[in-house]
Amino acid sequence: MSAATALDVHTVPAHTRPLQPRVVRNSLTMAWRAVLKTRHEPELMADAIAIPVLFTLLFTYLFGGALSGSTHQYLSFLLPGTLVMSVLLITVSAGVSLNTDRSSGAFDRFRSMPVWPPALIVGSLIGDIGRYVLSAGLVLGLGLLMGYRPAGGATGVLLAVALILIFGFSVSWIWTTLGLVLRSAQAVSILSFAVQFPLTFASNVFVNPATMPGWLRAFVAVNPVSHLVDAERSLMNGTAAASQVGWVLLASAGLIAVFAPLTMLRYRKSS
């Protein structure tokens, strides 16, 4: 038997070979998996619902009269900020979910399948976008019921929501990296709380920085959350500048460029 004939005998027929991973289909399948997890465990949506309701209602009626003279006037200032806070504070769910999958052994099961390796992570992040949309929708719905009327109209609001979704998606990569580094989901949540709360509260979300002491005003001026809130306010007020939106998009691209490769590196090394 010639070498060519021997090679033909041992060649696996094309129809029996494992299928090549499909990037889009695999990612969307994992995104649907994330949605199904929420359906079966609706308590996972608690933060996406409670945070926008609490911050929008509580701060408007508790501090609105004291800070701006009227709740309606303060709502116009506050709502773009609570929109930012509501989305950013729930981005940690991506890292928590990934850490849980690692602890439960899901990684090993997915590695044994002919799927695109990053699909578990990318799909989870895509699925989380639905939670961000829900949170943003609750903030805007409450605001409209309370009398908020954006000067930028529907176009400005939609652009503002799109911008915060992009930034939220990029921030999620930070937590996926930490979800693969830290030992427990609780550690991911605690670290997220320790980082995000100072950044969101020491910003221009609730008050005008002009009323702050100089040292705090200097921090607020360089706080990335403040820049994001400025962009959101300008879009919703119809006064957006390309530099404001461009800064957010550039920061989003930078976060993805740094933390997406780190996440994938840790994912490949995880046992």
Side-chain angles (χ1 to χ4, degrees), residues 1-258:
M1 182 181 292
S2 66
T5 304
L7 181 62
D8 291 340
V9 170
H10 293 91
T11 299
V12 178
H15 65 277
T16 63
R17 296 174 190 168
L19 296 176
Q20 292 298 316
R22 299 182 179 181
V23 173
V24 176
R25 177 175 294 183
N26 292 166
S27 298
L28 293 180
T29 299
M30 293 301 174
W32 181 240
R33 171 179 177 264
V35 173
L36 290 178
K37 286 174 63 177
T38 303
R39 285 178 54 186
H40 294 297
E41 299 179 63
E43 62 271 16
L44 296 175
M45 296 296 293
D47 56 349
I49 296 173
I51 289 175
V53 172
L54 286 175
F55 280 112
T56 304
L57 291 176
L58 182 64
F59 281 91
T60 298
Y61 291 118
L62 188 61
F63 300 119
L67 295 176
S68 296
S70 72
T71 56
H72 184 271
Q73 184 176 351
Y74 185 59
L75 181 62
S76 299
F77 176 85
L78 175 69
L79 191 131
T82 56
L83 178 64
V84 168
M85 285 191 67
S86 297
V87 173
L88 290 186
L89 291 178
I90 64 175
T91 55
V92 68
S93 63
V96 171
S97 176
L98 195 58
N99 186 280
T100 302
D101 280 340
R102 183 185 66 173
S103 302
S104 66
F107 281 8
D108 295 331
R109 293 196 297 272
F110 288 123
R111 282 198 179 98
S112 66
M113 301 177 183
V115 299
W116 183 51
L120 176 62
I121 299 172
V122 175
S124 178
L125 294 179
I126 294 174
D128 274 350
I129 291 177
R131 302 173 75 250
Y132 306 158
V133 172
L134 172 63
S135 185
L138 284 173
V139 171
L140 293 170
L142 283 172
L144 293 174
L145 289 175
M146 295 162 65
Y148 176 71
R149 297 295 181 267
T155 300
V157 170
L158 290 175
L159 290 174
V161 170
L163 188 65
I164 187 58
L165 292 181
I166 293 171
F167 193 79
F169 178 81
S170 67
V171 170
S172 297
W173 286 100
I174 300 175
W175 310 124
T176 56
T177 301
L178 293 176
L180 295 172
V181 171
L182 301 178
R183 295 184 179 181
S184 68
Q186 184 181 15
V188 179
S189 296
I190 292 173
L191 184 58
S192 166
F193 182 89
V195 171
Q196 293 204 88
F197 260 69
L199 288 176
T200 51
F201 277 89
S203 68
N204 59 356
V205 169
F206 301 107
V207 296
N208 190 327
T211 63
M212 301 177 185
W215 62 268
L216 183 56
R217 190 164 59 247
F219 174 79
V220 171
V222 298
N223 186 344
V225 174
S226 297
H227 290 281
L228 177 59
V229 173
D230 282 338
E232 293 291 306
R233 284 195 179 115
S234 63
L235 285 169
M236 299 175 79
N237 291 331
T239 59
S243 59
Q244 293 175 315
V245 176
W247 185 94
V248 175
L249 294 176
L250 184 62
S252 300
L255 289 174
I256 294 173
V258 171

